[in-house]
Amino acid sequence: MKQQTNKRFNEKEILFLSLAIFFALLFTVTCVYFFNQKESTSSSDVVNNFNITIDTITYEDETAIPTGYPSTETRQNAFNSSVMIEIPLASSTYYGSGSIFMEDDEYSYVLTCQHVIEVASANNIYLTLYDGTKTKAIFVGADTSSDVAILKFKGTGHQKITAISSNSDLSAGQSVFAVGYSLGLYDFTYNFGSLSQSKERTVTIDGLSLTTLQIDAAINGGMSGGGVFDANGNLIGMIVGGYNSEDAQNVNFILPAYNVLQTAVTLLSNIDAETGVGYIPGQYNLGLTVGTFGAQSTYPIVMEIPQESTFYGTDKATSLQLYDILKSVKIGNGEVHDLATYSDVISIFNSEEVEVGTEIVFVVAENYGIDDIEREVTVTVKQYIFTI
């Protein structure tokens, strides 16, 4: 029988074995990471002769969602994709924030909130990039119902955001950070915190009902429209508002990135030929302030008509006028409803089906009814397009 002897490894063999074990472990960890996280994807639509390309990322499960502190590179990328917004007014300056999300052959495009730019005129929106470059912005389009707006500026090749694709990419307690123009005093402010709840919340801000996510990162005035990112630098939302610090501590809200980007694509896909502005198809504005006529009468009377309202105009046959008393209304193919009080107006419009193109026929008494002149007004519901 041959005697078995123990073999000792020499130094070179030990080194080789150690390296083999190290690379085997590295391969295993890499596989676990990439099997838990899907690759980034890009959605692309051809619009107005250029591609709308928005990069998104999807995670397989919560274990792949980053929860630690963002790296220096991640923070730098977020800063480079952010812009600060200034809108000079007659007696003050209005501030906001935004994120660069796409480009075409000539322009870079910025996401922000509609309420940030609603006070602006077409020629007084200015942007500051992280490298200090200042440039004038061009208004592209906005949706008042979701508080989303798009601006663009001349030049390309800037850092752009990558966004999460759905709320399945979120986990309560995960780390987030925000970038914005804090108080209009401190540009590119970085605030760190966490996602308070992964489920969406419906909140009402300045009378507007919005679908939001809640975060506890500190948010201040001037940061509206700014990006909120996960620890890997993917955009999870856009700052929209929060509770006053006198009432609560760090209860703040963001518009989910997946909703914001969907709205952005719709705006870019529908450009009005006359104004060159993006819009949401099917939206209309029936804005009207109705009061009560006289101490002894309850008849509804027109007290105010916003210019963006379908009812606004100078032609008495196709638009309502101030101080018209509303006597009756017929919406579409519905029946004629007599109007006795202003609450009748509200209830009828809430119950009848209205859409762009619907004809609304009023019988009104002009000028408080003083002149005893009645007329019929036929209004066609118009597509609403927000402009500045």
Side-chain angles (χ1 to χ4, degrees):
M1 181 182 291
K2 187 176 180 181
Q3 185 176 4
Q4 184 176 354
T5 59
N6 293 326
K7 180 180 179 181
R8 295 182 177 178
F9 293 100
N10 60 36
E11 291 182 358
K12 289 184 177 180
E13 290 173 321
I14 291 173
L15 178 61
F16 177 81
L17 183 61
S18 299
L19 289 173
I21 293 172
F22 171 79
F23 283 111
L25 289 171
L26 180 61
F27 176 79
T28 301
V29 171
T30 303
C31 285
V32 169
Y33 176 79
F34 281 103
F35 278 117
N36 278 332
Q37 178 177 294
K38 291 182 180 178
E39 294 182 358
S40 298
T41 59
S42 295
S43 60
S44 182
D45 294 303
V46 177
V47 174
N48 301 327
N49 298 319
F50 65 87
N51 285 325
I52 298 176
T53 303
I54 301 170
D55 293 327
T56 59
I57 190 164
T58 302
Y59 296 99
E60 280 284 347
D61 54 47
E62 291 188 2
T63 62
I65 297 173
T67 59
Y69 288 91
S71 66
T72 300
E73 180 182 5
T74 295
R75 297 195 304 271
Q76 189 67 36
N77 288 341
F79 286 136
N80 286 330
S81 66
S82 299
V83 300
M84 305 294 102
I85 300 172
E86 296 183 19
I87 301 172
L89 303 176
S91 58
S92 61
T93 300
Y94 201 79
Y95 298 93
S97 309
S99 299
I100 302 170
F101 73 105
M102 61 166 282
E103 64 183 31
D104 58 21
D105 293 337
E106 188 176 3
Y107 294 96
S108 295
Y109 290 73
V110 172
L111 289 171
T112 188
C113 285
Q114 182 268 341
H115 78 260
V116 168
I117 53 88
E118 66 181 354
V119 299
S121 62
N123 297 311
N124 74 332
I125 305 176
Y126 297 89
L127 307 178
T128 301
L129 310 186
Y130 190 59
D131 64 6
T133 301
K134 294 184 180 296
T135 185
K136 182 173 284 190
I138 299 170
F139 175 67
V140 176
D143 174 26
T144 56
S145 65
S146 64
D147 202 12
V148 173
I150 303 174
L151 307 172
K152 67 180 180 181
F153 64 93
K154 199 74 173 286
T156 60
H158 302 284
Q159 180 76 41
K160 299 182 289 295
I161 58 96
T162 298
I164 63 166
S165 62
S166 72
N167 64 351
S168 63
D169 301 330
L170 300 171
S171 176
Q174 75 176 84
S175 300
V176 301
F177 66 94
V179 178
Y181 207 158
S182 185
L183 302 175
L185 298 173
Y186 311 106
D187 56 2
F188 297 97
T189 293
Y190 168 98
N191 289 339
F192 185 78
S194 61
L195 186 67
S196 302
Q197 289 283 340
S198 57
K199 64 182 180 181
E200 296 172 346
R201 292 189 183 282
T202 300
V203 299
T204 300
I205 301 176
D206 292 336
L208 181 62
S209 180
L210 295 168
T211 298
T212 67
L213 297 168
Q214 183 183 339
I215 63 171
D216 67 4
I219 300 299
N220 302 301
M223 296 184 73
S224 286
V228 175
F229 305 85
D230 66 18
N232 276 357
N234 302 305
L235 186 79
I236 69 168
M238 186 169 71
I239 299 166
V240 68
Y243 280 97
N244 190 298
S245 59
E246 295 179 358
D247 302 321
Q249 292 295 317
N250 295 356
V251 180
N252 298 309
F253 300 99
I254 63 177
L255 301 174
Y258 41 85
N259 290 343
V260 170
L261 293 175
Q262 184 177 13
T263 300
V265 169
T266 303
L267 289 168
L268 290 169
S269 301
N270 297 277
I271 304 296
D272 178 57
E274 183 178 346
T275 63
V277 170
Y279 63 91
I280 305 296
Q283 285 191 346
Y284 55 85
N285 187 308
L286 300 181
L288 192 67
T289 300
V290 179
T292 299
F293 173 58
Q296 305 300 320
S297 172
T298 60
Y299 283 122
I301 183 170
V302 176
M303 303 301 295
E304 183 179 359
I305 314 173
Q307 288 193 19
E308 63 270 18
S309 172
T310 280
F311 301 128
Y312 182 85
T314 57
D315 186 344
K316 289 185 176 182
T318 58
S319 59
L320 295 176
Q321 305 296 304
L322 290 181
Y323 317 126
D324 280 344
I325 293 177
L326 305 180
K327 305 295 289 291
S328 69
V329 63
K330 178 178 181 291
I331 300 175
N333 295 321
E335 61 180 289
V336 175
H337 298 275
D338 291 329
L339 302 173
T341 68
Y342 68 85
S343 59
D344 289 342
V345 181
I346 297 171
S347 62
I348 290 168
F349 274 91
N350 283 340
S351 62
E352 297 280 352
E353 185 174 340
V354 179
E355 59 185 22
V356 173
T358 297
E359 283 194 349
I360 303 174
V361 181
F362 290 97
V363 172
V364 306
E366 293 184 9
N367 191 27
Y368 300 100
I370 294 173
D371 301 325
D372 199 25
I373 299 174
E374 288 192 355
R375 74 179 193 279
E376 185 173 277
V377 180
T378 302
V379 177
T380 301
V381 177
K382 299 178 293 188
Q383 169 67 49
Y384 173 64
I385 302 172
F386 175 83
T387 57
I388 59 174

